[in-house]
Amino acid sequence: MSSESSQKAWELENAVKLVDPHRDALYSYDVDEQKAISNERPWKTNPHHFKNVRISAVALLKMVMHARSGGSLEIMGMMQGKIAGDTFVVTDAFRLPVEGTETRVNASAEADEYMTQYFQSCRDSGRMENAVGWYHSHPGYGCWLSGIDVGTQMLQQQFQDPFIAVVIDPDRTISAGKVEIGAFRTFPKDYKPPDSGTGEEYQTIPLNKIEDFGAHASQYYSLEVSHFKSSLDSYLLEMLWNKYWVSTLSQSPLFTNREYSSKQMLDLSQKIKNAEESLRAQARGGPRGNAKDSQLDKIVKDSNKIAGEEVTGLLAGDVKAKLFNGVGAPAAKASVR
């Protein structure tokens, strides 16, 4: 598989759509229009005003590469773009020099200074896009907002709105072959969101994160994420992809993600153990209900997800072996002769 065909496969997998190749309308920035939107502030009267996020392929690839470079540590960066109706349009992204741990990122004065200088250099070069959000990684534990993330996003929406939070899981991205990404906005402090009854799409949450996930899940909502590219992207996207493709080609998903896979299996075994103990308690006359069935359903979904990722990794390794094992051997034999 060539770099070009793999790039097309990546774009197809992540539903990257080509905008008007002649006008590149999503990249045009009207300062007066953005000021008018900022003055109207429709999101102040409707907490659900924003519903969509459109991220350029270049910005997406930059964020994924940054997230993967952090390994098991969280990373953080900023996104640039504009507002179009109920949609955030993200045209670019850049990383911040922050200190990360396995559970949080700590922005410093150095990061603030770097961000100020970066935006000033953009203004000097004629790029007027504002900061429209921040992104960070959750290595191995899904795309959602922790308590710290909720507090950070609330602060940003209070002083820098319109602003959005994006979360990327690099481990699940490697395992699934598709970018694991989520975009979120928090509700005002005194706002109680109506119960839609449908809930968010199910995702696997490790046991040590479930309490944090559940405690803050009602304080924010997710936006629909889509991706786009244009003729302005093509050169940068090609340069970035060549670097990303070499990194991906030289790694095995199973080997690169072996720590993540082991944690997934350990977490699943603990969930099975907890479910077994609950069923025993129920058999001894404990409370009956649908909670136990729901718990078992989630375990089945988690186990199917893990099995699917392992199969994908094995197939990827098999394809690479058939493509590249023995490359150069004919030439070597010819030289010996």
Side-chain angles (χ1 to χ4, degrees):
M1 182 183 289
S2 67
S3 173
E4 183 180 357
S5 60
S6 66
Q7 179 182 333
K8 290 180 180 178
W10 181 83
E11 291 174 1
L12 182 63
E13 184 69 29
N14 291 284
V16 177
K17 297 181 179 179
L18 178 67
V19 296
D20 189 333
H22 301 291
R23 296 193 310 159
D24 292 315
L26 288 176
Y27 283 90
S28 62
Y29 188 88
D30 189 323
V31 176
D32 294 333
E33 179 188 35
Q34 294 301 304
K35 283 184 178 179
I37 294 174
S38 181
N39 291 333
E40 290 177 7
R41 296 179 177 272
W43 52 87
K44 289 294 184 182
T45 55
N46 179 12
H48 290 271
H49 172 73
F50 291 107
K51 299 178 177 61
N52 305 285
V53 184
R54 300 193 68 181
I55 303 176
S56 74
V58 166
L60 179 67
L61 198 53
K62 279 185 176 181
M63 291 189 286
V64 171
M65 292 173 69
H66 186 196
R68 287 185 62 173
S69 70
S72 61
L73 303 181
E74 290 193 9
I75 55 84
M76 177 182 172
M78 300 294 291
M79 299 178 293
Q80 293 174 273
K82 64 178 184 178
I83 304 301
D86 63 357
T87 302
F88 284 89
V89 179
V90 178
T91 55
D92 201 3
F94 62 93
R95 61 181 65 192
L96 289 177
V98 298
E99 294 181 359
T101 68
E102 292 187 355
T103 57
R104 65 182 297 175
V105 281
N106 302 305
S108 61
E110 181 186 358
D112 293 335
E113 183 180 354
Y114 177 86
M115 188 164 48
T116 301
Q117 292 177 352
Y118 185 91
F119 280 114
Q120 185 57 52
S121 65
C122 287
R123 298 285 188 272
D124 295 341
S125 62
R127 291 184 55 195
M128 307 305 293
E129 296 95 339
N130 291 320
V132 294
W134 65 296
Y135 71 88
H136 71 290
S137 63
H138 278 184
Y141 51 96
C143 298
W144 47 279
L145 297 186
S146 66
I148 296 174
D149 299 337
V150 168
T152 301
Q153 180 61 19
M154 281 185 170
L155 193 66
Q156 295 290 356
Q157 288 184 205
Q158 183 179 355
F159 295 104
Q160 205 171 342
D161 226 12
F163 217 72
I164 193 169
V166 164
V167 181
I168 293 176
D169 188 333
D171 291 346
R172 296 187 181 185
T173 294
I174 294 172
S175 293
K178 177 183 178 182
V179 178
E180 186 83 9
I181 187 171
F184 311 95
R185 274 180 61 83
T186 53
F187 295 119
K189 283 188 176 181
D190 299 329
Y191 178 78
K192 292 184 178 181
D195 185 6
S196 61
T198 57
E200 299 290 340
E201 182 180 352
Y202 174 75
Q203 62 172 313
T204 302
I205 306 296
L207 274 176
N208 63 343
K209 300 289 183 181
I210 285 179
E211 185 176 351
D212 193 20
F213 171 77
H216 307 283
S218 63
Q219 295 179 269
Y220 61 89
Y221 72 99
S222 60
L223 287 77
E224 187 72 26
V225 180
S226 60
H227 313 293
F228 69 91
K229 68 172 185 176
S230 74
S231 60
L232 295 179
D233 277 330
S234 55
Y235 180 67
L236 285 175
L237 187 59
E238 183 179 353
M239 291 180 65
L240 284 170
W241 181 258
N242 287 336
K243 183 177 179 180
Y244 180 80
W245 167 241
V246 170
S247 174
T248 303
L249 189 64
S250 62
Q251 295 175 344
S252 164
L254 296 181
F255 184 76
T256 304
N257 258 17
R258 61 191 182 280
E259 184 179 352
Y260 164 70
S261 300
S262 298
K263 288 180 178 179
Q264 288 275 88
M265 293 299 295
L266 288 172
D267 186 70
L268 180 62
S269 66
Q270 187 60 50
K271 288 178 179 177
I272 293 174
K273 183 178 179 181
N274 291 349
E276 184 180 1
E277 291 175 354
S278 297
L279 289 172
R280 285 177 179 173
Q282 180 178 313
R284 290 194 297 265
R288 298 177 179 273
N290 295 327
K292 306 297 185 298
D293 293 337
S294 175
Q295 191 176 8
L296 290 174
D297 287 342
K298 290 179 179 179
I299 289 174
V300 171
K301 288 180 180 178
D302 289 351
S303 60
N304 287 338
K305 175 180 175 294
I306 294 172
E309 290 175 351
E310 293 299 307
V311 169
T312 300
L314 289 169
L315 290 174
D318 190 42
V319 169
K320 288 179 183 178
K322 290 182 178 179
L323 281 175
F324 300 107
N325 283 3
V327 171
K333 290 180 180 179
S335 62
V336 170
R337 291 175 183 175

